[in-house]
Amino acid sequence: MRLALLGCGTVGAEVVRLLHEQAADLTARVGAPIEIAGIAVRRMGRDRGPLPVDPTLFTTDALGLVKRDDVDVVVEVVGGIEPARTWLVEALRSGKSAVTANKALLAEDGGSLHDAAAEGQADLYYEAAVAGAIPLLRPLRESLHGDRITRVTGIVNGTTNFILSAMDATGAGFTEALEEATELGYAEADPTADVEGFDAAAKAAILASLAFHSRVTAADVHREGITGVTAADVASAKAMGCTIKLLCIASRGPDSTGADSVSVRVHPAMIPRTHPLASVGDAFNAVFVEAEAAGQLMFYGRGAGGSPTASAVLGDIVAVARNRLAGVRAPSESVYADLPVRPMGEAVTRYHISLDVADRAGVLATVAGVFAKRDVSIATVRQSGRADDASLVVVTHGAPEAALAATVEELRGLDIVRSIASVLRVEGGA
Ligand SMILES: NC(=O)c1ccc[n+]([C@@H]2O[C@H](COP(=O)([O-])OP(=O)(O)OC[C@H]3O[C@@H](n4cnc5c(N)ncnc54)[C@H](OP(=O)(O)O)[C@@H]3O)[C@@H](O)[C@H]2O)c1
């Protein structure tokens, strides 16, 4: 079984090491030795440390390597949309199996890859693209295929989880916690993709596509990052027995006309400390899956890093290699449900709103009236302080996002509301 390895960076180098270290076991598990036919990189002269591989295998001609007749499986760990898409489409169309960790490409244009796989009758595996080492996509695409998944809620970005966990533990602000994450190597020099939620949104699209048998792209995902989360928000959450997490939430349910649809969103949210996701700290990932027959399932582990990610890539390599030797194909893309994505305004969520208000009679009634006008039911109200310290904390029951957002806007315009200190969504039954 001959591999073309595209990329030899953080993940690729670990793939090379694991292939070498576990060669005998892998041969036994697959039924044939797995050999590297070539390794495509961008810079031939780069110092890659002591890699257990013949240096003559390196090339900068990735497409040429993909097209070689002696290549059975293409492993793409470069990243980005192009040229990765061209390489993978070429491989799959010509009947070569492909393994990729490229969440950005899968979320933007996974359809092209699946179409090419169908055309070439080839396998496309991408376990490492979401939640690193955690076996998650295979359970969604195989083990749970007899069930109906209703909701997937995940912490799928380690950098933001590290930052929010640090803010929760120390009371630090966002900037301070980001600096710590950067110093410890949990955040990249340009952290935009992580802190603005782009990385989590890509993973949310992949999870939603698999869970709901529909093509969902990153553009379908409502995305908010964590740059606006303040130390005051974290303190408000604590006061309610909650913690703040950047969640990806994909759910299936009726839209405003009653038709079956999916909702996919990424945003910070308060969750009760008793929720299984609340105890997921540092840079760990976890995904909570709810299915009609299976009930609640939780997947937990390391979501990134060379070695954990390479573990998932190796698992995929073994799977596609076995399939090729057996002359079979993995189950192809399942998109028969073809559900539409409903707009964020129709997503049902809950708000925690902290208001600085005037200290006068009737304030509570006026504020309650604004909620009632849009049919937003209030779960709890806490009024505290006097004079300049007077504040109200309102937590709603579930309501459409559009009604909640409009309520906040109207509250902002009231003369009795001096300022809105914080608005956070609440998830997980707090
Ligand atoms: N790192 C993680 O923890 C992690 C976790 C999950 C998924 N992933 C995904 O895994 C993929 C790889 O990530 P990584 O962290 O390993 O990236 P990386 O360390 O930046 O490595 C990228 C590799 O691709 C090579 N490359 C870049 N452009 C190329 C080109 N035009 N032609 C040939 N080779 C090219 C680079 O060559 P040079 O070495 O010569 O520069 C390098 O070897 C990405 O899709 C990422 O999203 C990573």
Side-chain angles (χ1 to χ4, degrees):
M1 201 51 55
R2 308 254 305 157
L3 303 187
L5 180 63
L6 312 182
C8 192
T10 307
V11 179
E14 284 305 316
V15 169
V16 170
R17 280 197 191 94
L18 286 178
L19 280 171
H20 177 75
E21 279 167 22
Q22 296 177 18
D25 285 331
L26 291 171
T27 302
R29 289 173 199 167
V30 169
I34 297 177
E35 290 165 8
I36 299 178
I39 304 175
V41 292
R42 189 176 33 189
R43 297 163 290 177
M44 286 296 272
R46 183 179 172 191
D47 179 8
R48 297 174 200 282
L51 269 187
V53 72
D54 177 356
T56 63
L57 290 177
F58 284 91
T59 173
T60 52
D61 180 11
L63 190 58
L65 176 58
V66 167
K67 287 182 170 174
R68 265 168 50 180
D69 288 339
D70 64 337
V71 165
D72 304 296
V73 177
V74 171
V75 179
E76 186 269 316
V77 280
V78 169
I81 308 302
E82 284 294 352
R85 174 170 47 200
T86 301
W87 301 331
L88 287 168
V89 165
E90 168 66 30
L92 290 161
R93 271 197 191 137
S94 62
K96 290 168 185 167
S97 306
V99 173
T100 177
N102 195 333
K103 56 212 151 195
L105 173 55
L106 285 156
E108 183 170 311
D109 191 18
S112 291
L113 304 187
H114 286 293
D115 290 346
E119 203 181 315
Q121 288 295 295
D123 280 349
L124 171 63
Y125 274 62
Y126 45 92
E127 185 66 65
V130 183
I134 307 172
L136 173 64
L137 304 192
R138 208 91 54 91
L140 291 181
R141 90 186 214 178
E142 293 176 20
S143 322
L144 287 165
H145 257 207
D147 208 334
R148 185 183 169 97
I149 295 172
T150 50
R151 190 176 166 100
V152 178
T153 311
I155 295 171
V156 291
N157 181 272
T159 306
T160 46
N161 201 50
F162 179 89
I163 292 170
L164 292 172
S165 300
M167 289 173 74
D168 186 74
T170 66
F174 169 76
T175 310
E176 205 184 320
L178 172 61
E179 277 167 14
E180 189 192 350
T182 311
E183 269 166 36
L184 293 173
Y186 288 119
E188 298 195 14
D190 177 1
T192 312
D194 294 318
V195 298
E196 296 293 358
F198 289 101
D199 176 80
K203 293 164 178 170
I206 297 168
L207 290 174
S209 300
L210 289 172
F212 305 127
H213 308 273
S214 303
R215 277 189 183 171
V216 178
T217 69
D220 296 321
V221 182
H222 173 86
R223 175 193 53 80
E224 292 170 37
I226 64 162
T227 50
V229 177
T230 63
D233 291 335
V234 175
S236 298
K238 271 191 174 171
M240 265 193 65
C242 290
T243 185
I244 299 176
K245 296 290 185 190
L246 181 68
L247 297 182
C248 96
I249 301 166
S251 61
R252 177 175 189 163
D255 66 12
S256 54
T257 67
D260 202 5
S261 65
V262 298
S263 159
V264 196
R265 50 198 164 104
V266 166
H267 55 69
M270 287 170 51
I271 52 171
R273 286 187 185 271
T274 49
H275 191 282
L277 290 175
S279 56
V280 177
D282 292 330
F284 278 84
N285 282 193
V287 177
F288 194 66
V289 177
E290 292 164 73
E292 279 181 5
Q296 300 178 334
L297 303 159
M298 172 109 150
F299 300 82
Y300 171 84
R302 292 196 183 278
S307 194
T309 309
S311 163
V313 171
L314 261 284
D316 283 354
I317 291 173
V318 168
V320 300
R322 277 187 186 145
N323 287 349
R324 286 187 84 80
L325 285 171
V328 297
R329 243 194 108 199
S332 51
E333 184 193 23
S334 173
V335 286
Y336 71 92
D338 197 18
L339 298 175
V341 178
R342 55 182 187 273
M344 180 60 184
E346 290 184 22
V348 173
T349 178
R350 301 172 60 200
Y351 270 22
H352 168 284
I353 308 162
S354 194
L355 308 157
D356 293 328
V357 292
D359 183 13
R360 31 175 141 113
V363 165
L364 195 52
T366 309
V367 167
V370 174
F371 284 84
K373 195 167 139 189
R374 291 190 171 75
D375 220 9
V376 175
S377 157
I378 293 175
T380 61
V381 184
R382 205 176 66 229
Q383 191 167 14
S384 61
R386 297 304 310 256
D388 285 352
D389 273 342
S391 70
L392 269 185
V393 176
V394 180
V395 181
T396 72
H397 284 300
E401 168 75 21
L404 290 163
T407 302
V408 171
E409 271 325 294
E410 186 168 341
L411 290 172
R412 223 182 272 287
L414 293 181
D415 62 351
I416 52 160
V417 173
R418 286 182 287 121
S419 68
I420 296 189
S422 115
V423 179
L424 279 166
R425 295 190 186 88
V426 183
E427 297 288 335

